Amino acid sequence: MEIDTSAFLLDANGKTCTDENFIFYGNIAHSSGSVELDNNALHIEPKKIPDEVEKIVLALTIYEADERKQHFGMIRSVTLKIFDGQNEIATLLLENF
């Protein structure tokens, strides 16, 4: 099962202003250098986050879930780690889907 990590950099209206504010396997880094995706690890540089970004929303999806007949109920847990430069600043353990 292939789980993909994504990040949405949202403005005050809760929207992504441009496509570059959607970080995923097809767009692995924001031009500001504030968010980068590397092997499903999000690297976040808080000081580089553009002023118009009010919050960052994280999402996990299963690649080709419908075609492969897969869903999150089929796995026991997923760990999402967030880095600030080289330092891990958060680990989210998602269990019991």
Side-chain angles (χ1 to χ4, degrees):
M1 186 176 304
E2 185 177 340
I3 298 174
D4 295 319
T5 306
S6 306
F8 298 86
L9 285 72
L10 305 179
D11 64 13
N13 295 317
K15 299 186 181 214
T16 56
C17 302
T18 65
D19 288 344
E20 82 164 332
N21 286 6
F22 174 37
I23 308 303
F24 68 112
Y25 61 86
N27 178 38
I28 61 170
H30 192 270
S31 63
S32 67
S34 60
V35 180
E36 181 180 326
L37 182 61
D38 180 26
N39 293 324
N40 266 349
L42 284 170
H43 297 267
I44 300 175
E45 296 282 347
K47 293 178 184 172
K48 293 182 179 180
I49 296 172
D51 291 337
E52 67 273 8
V53 174
E54 292 285 323
K55 63 182 169 182
I56 298 174
V57 175
L58 309 177
L60 299 175
T61 55
I62 300 172
Y63 179 72
E64 294 185 347
D66 290 339
E67 295 86 352
R68 297 176 179 181
K69 298 183 183 347
Q70 297 173 334
H71 55 83
F72 280 103
M74 299 171 81
I75 57 176
R76 291 186 182 180
S77 66
V78 173
T79 301
L80 177 64
K81 295 182 179 187
I82 303 171
F83 294 84
D84 174 1
Q86 297 298 320
N87 301 313
E88 185 177 323
I89 59 172
T91 299
L92 305 170
L93 178 59
L94 307 173
E95 298 180 293
N96 304 319
F97 295 99

